[in-house]
Amino acid sequence: MKKDFFNNKINRINTNSVKWDRMENLFGKKDLLPFWVADMDFAAPEEVVKEIAKRVDHGVFGYTTPTESTNESVRSWVQKRHEWNIEADWITYSPGIVFAISMAIQAYTQKGDSILIQPPVYTPFFEMVKVNERKLIESPLYLKGDRYSIDFSSFEKQLASGVKMFILCSPHNPIGRVWKRGELEKIAELCKKYDVLILSDEIHSDLVYKPSVHIPISSLNEDAENRTITCIAPSKTFNVPGLQASAIIIPNNELREKYQQQQHKQGFFTLNTFGTIGLEAAYTHGEIWLNELLAYLQENIDFTRSFIKKNLPSLKVINPEGTYLLWIDCRALNMSDEDLHNLLLTKGGIAVESGVKYGAAEGKGFIRLNIGCPREQLKEGLKKLKAALS
Ligand SMILES: Cc1ncc(COP(=O)(O)O)c(C=O)c1O
């Protein structure tokens, strides 16, 4: 395993990094150690860096466009990693997945239409529905032991109330579930019954730990394929979110045309030169790097879980099946979210995400900890967590 590569601490201060350089602004305090935004502290795979450097050396940065080989890199990646057979012309490119979510909301729904989400969930799911003046409908996930599940009776009740679109987070940020085939089949069956479009955000789909397996909901059957818009990207997988390049896979011709028209209406035509190169290089050459990353992240998860069990037994780590984000139940501390957040900042010196960002009720008493960093940095952060809460 390339342990040295992932153990290597790279100074990111003064690189315009949101994670490191925006902390003082966002958290109101200097010298914090960051465990918040979903951005890892690892360098990208060598081949990605090499291909970008080659392009930099060329020196001419005119308009560029994804090519057949870019499409092929996406097609063969999802086939190899997720046994999903797609066609090259199902793929559209987008600078980001939050942008794509907003485009899909605008393309397929009208102001006032109902859109369903499952809190606790990634904050922009709430935001994009609200800023587009659609009606936010929620079917919260429920926690039993250390595992979240879908309450299918609430899910069906909400779909039956006239929902137009369901935004699925698969795997689910922040609770780390990798949905099982049976769960996805039930979702697809109910969306068919109530004729609801599925917008499936699969940005974390490559970050899954054995024995869990990611199944693209679109790959289940013909009906699911025809009602699903799937969003994937190399950004979380290979830690290249700054390259701003994502692939939106829409098998249904009519839905794809509507989506493309919406991007066109916003004046979007093509990706950034380096985004295109990075996406293709990552999907073409990044597999070995990813397998090594997954082994490293699994060790970080195991380390964190045993540290917390030993040193902070009142906290409960929700077992992650995917993602590098740990959802930690701190309710036994009996503290308000504000007090907990402030304590971690002032006494601990660490920046984590407050659970309430992912659902006011569902995230109450939780924090989200990003363990995508060198082990020494993680150890330092956990010591700080212990010092704050002991
Ligand atoms: C579920 C999910 N979707 C989308 C994003 C962001 O995607 P992008 O940067 O491409 O907009 C994130 C980032 O954390 C995420 O967790």
Side-chain angles (χ1 to χ4, degrees):
M1 203 233 262
K2 263 194 199 161
K3 261 210 170 126
D4 289 349
F5 179 93
F6 295 110
N7 275 336
N8 185 22
K9 193 164 182 298
I10 301 170
N11 184 356
R12 299 181 62 190
I13 293 170
N14 292 332
T15 61
N16 291 2
S17 156
V18 169
K19 183 175 183 178
W20 288 83
D21 294 324
R22 292 275 296 157
M23 268 192 301
E24 189 180 351
N25 233 293
L26 296 170
F27 293 90
K29 202 175 171 289
K30 266 192 173 161
D31 300 325
L32 295 169
L33 204 52
F35 296 92
W36 61 293
V37 63
D39 171 320
M40 299 187 282
D41 291 311
F42 306 127
E46 229 172 77
E47 296 83 353
V48 173
V49 179
K50 248 195 237 160
E51 288 302 319
I52 291 177
K54 213 158 78 183
R55 191 66 184 77
V56 168
D57 283 345
H58 185 256
V60 182
F61 307 119
Y63 291 118
T64 48
T65 178
T67 61
E68 273 173 33
S69 76
T70 321
N71 290 341
E72 178 52 24
S73 73
V74 175
R75 194 203 62 73
S76 65
W77 181 259
V78 297
Q79 208 287 323
K80 208 167 23 176
R81 296 297 293 193
H82 309 303
E83 296 178 6
W84 185 21
N85 295 313
I86 65 165
E87 289 174 22
D89 64 6
W90 295 356
I91 307 165
T92 291
Y93 295 94
S94 160
I97 287 184
V98 174
F99 177 77
I101 290 171
S102 190
M103 289 302 96
I105 289 172
Q106 291 171 20
Y108 307 123
T109 66
Q110 306 292 324
K111 279 190 183 161
D113 280 351
S114 295
I115 300 181
L116 179 66
I117 63 169
Q118 296 173 302
V121 75
Y122 182 53
T123 318
F125 283 19
F126 298 83
E127 285 169 3
M128 290 305 111
V129 173
K130 286 184 190 158
V131 295
N132 281 298
E133 296 171 58
R134 273 54 169 179
K135 190 169 162 201
L136 190 66
I137 306 288
E138 300 180 23
S139 173
L141 300 170
Y142 72 89
L143 179 62
K144 198 167 164 203
D146 69 349
R147 189 181 169 82
Y148 278 85
S149 299
I150 299 170
D151 174 352
F152 277 107
S153 72
S154 139
F155 186 75
E156 177 162 13
K157 198 168 130 224
Q158 299 295 39
L159 289 184
S161 72
V163 160
K164 288 278 186 318
M165 178 189 273
F166 162 54
I167 313 181
L168 173 67
C169 197
S170 176
H172 194 104
N173 168 14
I175 53 116
R177 273 300 314 276
V178 174
W179 303 114
K180 296 210 172 305
R181 183 175 292 278
E183 292 169 311
L184 293 167
E185 280 174 350
K186 184 95 184 145
I187 291 172
E189 181 194 313
L190 290 171
C191 288
K192 178 179 179 187
K193 182 171 173 187
Y194 295 100
D195 195 18
V196 171
L197 276 180
I198 303 170
L199 176 54
S200 190
D201 178 344
E202 302 188 9
I203 195 169
H204 294 282
S205 55
D206 300 315
L207 298 165
V208 164
Y209 308 104
K210 284 182 185 140
S212 295
V213 176
H214 171 74
I215 301 167
I217 193 165
S218 182
S219 71
L220 288 180
N221 54 51
E222 205 181 328
D223 183 80
E225 182 175 293
N226 270 310
R227 66 175 65 252
T228 302
I229 295 95
T230 305
C231 306
I232 64 162
S235 48
K236 301 289 150 189
T237 313
F238 300 101
N239 201 34
V240 289
L243 291 180
Q244 298 273 285
S246 314
I248 313 305
I249 301 166
I250 314 176
N252 180 288
N253 291 337
E254 208 181 306
L255 290 181
R256 190 170 60 254
E257 270 163 33
K258 272 195 178 163
Y259 179 87
Q260 287 168 338
Q261 274 167 15
Q262 194 59 39
Q263 286 206 156
H264 190 171
K265 263 196 215 170
Q266 306 304 318
F268 175 80
F269 293 97
T270 189
L271 292 183
N272 172 292
T273 305
F274 299 109
T276 315
I277 289 170
L279 177 144
E280 185 172 331
Y283 282 149
T284 307
H285 305 291
E287 191 161 28
I288 293 172
W289 183 96
L290 173 60
N291 290 339
E292 287 169 350
L293 170 78
L294 287 171
Y296 192 87
L297 291 176
Q298 181 68 68
E299 287 183 8
N300 270 4
I301 291 169
D302 295 344
F303 180 84
T304 308
R305 295 190 72 180
S306 56
F307 181 95
I308 290 182
K309 197 167 167 200
K310 185 164 164 228
N311 296 288
L312 294 161
S314 57
L315 306 193
K316 192 167 79 183
V317 181
I318 304 303
N319 182 31
E321 297 165 339
T323 84
Y324 50 80
L325 308 162
L326 292 188
W327 186 241
I328 304 177
D329 186 347
C330 307
R331 288 176 298 181
L333 297 173
N334 278 323
M335 289 176 77
S336 74
D337 290 277
E338 207 185 337
D339 287 349
L340 175 59
H341 189 70
N342 287 334
L343 192 65
L344 295 179
L345 285 178
T346 52
K347 200 168 160 208
I350 52 173
V352 304
E353 298 281 20
S354 228
V356 284
K357 275 185 79 174
Y358 305 89
E362 300 78 11
K364 211 168 164 17
F366 287 79
I367 56 169
R368 194 192 75 170
L369 186 83
N370 173 354
I371 54 87
C373 62
R375 186 101 10 100
E376 284 311 309
Q377 189 175 312
L378 178 64
K379 283 183 185 169
E380 198 184 332
L382 290 172
K383 271 194 212 146
K384 286 170 176 282
L385 182 73
K386 183 182 167 189
L389 300 182
S390 297

